[in-house]
Amino acid sequence: DIQMTQSPSTLSASVGDRVTITCRASQSINSWLAWYQQKPGKAPKLLIYRASSLESGVPSRFSGSGSGTDFTLTISSLQPDDSATYYCQQYNSLYTFGQGTKLEIK
Amino acid sequence: QLQLQESGPGLVKPSETLSLTCTVSSGSISSSNSYWGWIRQPPGKGLEWIGSIYYSGSTYYNPSLKSRVTISVDTSKNQFSLKLSSVTAADTAVYYCARHLPQWPFDYWGQGTLVTVSS
C-alpha cells in the first residue's frame, strides 16, 4: 500500500501570505497526485490533478508541483475563503489520501 | 452538471450490514469511462477510499476493507450501492459517493451522508 504523509497538520497564516503544504508518498507515484479542498460539512472539491494541472474554475492562486514522491500545494496570496482542510491523494495505485492539513486564517 | 446523492439508514446496529445507495442524475451511470466510488470520513478525521465500480460491474476495493465490502450497480435505476458487513463503531462516518475516470481523481461528489453505528 502507498502511504501519503502531509505536513504541516495545521497551519495559520494571514490574508495575502504565500502558503505551502507538502505531501510525501511512501513510493514513487510519478505525477498521479491530486489536491482537494474541504470546508466543514461539505464534500471535498478537486483543486489540482496530475500534480500540477488546475481543475476548471479553480482560482489561479492555487498551484501544485512535484513528481515521484514529493509534492507541494501553494496558495500564492491567501484569501479568507481559503480557510479549509486540504488533502493530497495518490491515484497511481488504487487511491490513498493524506491525513489533511487544516489551514486557518489569522 | 453531474449530480450524485447518497441515501440510506443513518443508524446501523453493530455486527449488522450498512447499506447505502447513490443516485446519479444529469448524466448516465453507463457513461463511457466513468467509474463510481465510495469514500468515507469518520467524524473529525481524514478520507478513506472504500472501493469503485464500472457500469459493467467490474469492481476494485481498498484491501483493508475488501473482506467486508460489496459494491454493485443498477444501470436501469442509474444507481450504485455499497454494502459493508459486520460493522462496528469504527465504521461510523460520513459516506460519500463520487465519480472518477480511469486512474483519475474524484471530480464529482455527493453531499455525503452520516452513518452512525450504535445499538
Side-chain angles (χ1 to χ4, degrees):
Chain A
D1 294 8
I2 299 176
Q3 307 302 316
M4 306 300 293
T5 304
Q6 287 182 234
S7 61
S9 296
T10 60
L11 177 57
S12 182
S14 301
V15 172
D17 282 354
R18 182 181 181 89
V19 169
T20 298
I21 298 169
T22 64
C23 179
R24 175 165 288 178
S26 59
Q27 65 188 72
S28 176
I29 57 170
N30 299 298
S31 294
W32 302 117
L33 184 104
W35 289 97
Y36 296 85
Q37 176 192 66
Q38 186 180 33
K39 296 185 177 182
K42 300 294 187 181
K45 173 187 174 183
L46 179 63
L47 298 177
I48 288 172
Y49 60 93
R50 208 158 52 191
S52 60
S53 296
L54 202 63
E55 178 73 347
S56 177
V58 174
S60 59
R61 64 181 180 273
F62 290 92
S63 64
S65 65
S67 66
T69 60
D70 294 316
F71 302 87
T72 60
L73 172 70
T74 299
I75 307 173
S76 60
S77 180
L78 192 65
Q79 299 302 303
D81 188 52
D82 299 336
S83 178
T85 299
Y86 293 84
Y87 293 93
C88 63
Q89 178 208 36
Q90 69 82 20
Y91 50 100
N92 178 74
S93 175
L94 303 181
Y95 294 93
T96 315
F97 293 89
Q99 81 277 17
T101 295
K102 185 175 183 179
L103 174 57
E104 299 173 339
I105 309 296
K106 287 181 183 175
Chain B
Q1 177 90 353
L2 195 64
Q3 296 183 342
L4 294 87
Q5 177 68 58
E6 306 87 352
S7 59
L11 181 65
V12 180
K13 290 182 168 55
S15 80
E16 295 190 345
T17 296
L18 178 159
S19 296
L20 295 174
T21 296
C22 182
T23 301
V24 178
S25 57
S26 300
S28 173
I29 203 166
S30 303
S31 293
S32 178
N33 282 338
S34 288
Y35 280 75
W36 308 94
W38 290 97
I39 301 101
R40 70 179 183 177
Q41 185 172 37
K45 296 187 178 181
L47 300 159
E48 179 179 38
W49 171 72
I50 299 169
S52 295
I53 190 167
Y54 192 54
Y55 77 90
S56 64
S58 174
T59 55
Y60 54 114
Y61 300 130
N62 185 326
S64 70
L65 296 168
K66 186 175 182 179
S67 64
R68 298 194 292 131
V69 173
T70 302
I71 297 176
S72 59
V73 64
D74 186 336
T75 55
S76 67
K77 294 182 179 179
N78 230 31
Q79 294 176 335
F80 63 106
S81 298
L82 168 70
K83 291 189 185 299
L84 181 65
S85 64
S86 305
V87 297
T88 69
D91 295 309
T92 294
V94 174
Y95 286 76
Y96 296 100
C97 59
R99 196 279 300 250
H100 64 92
L101 299 175
Q103 198 173 6
W104 212 248
F106 300 96
D107 52 3
Y108 293 94
W109 294 68
Q111 64 185 27
T113 187
L114 174 63
V115 178
T116 301
V117 178
S118 175
S119 55

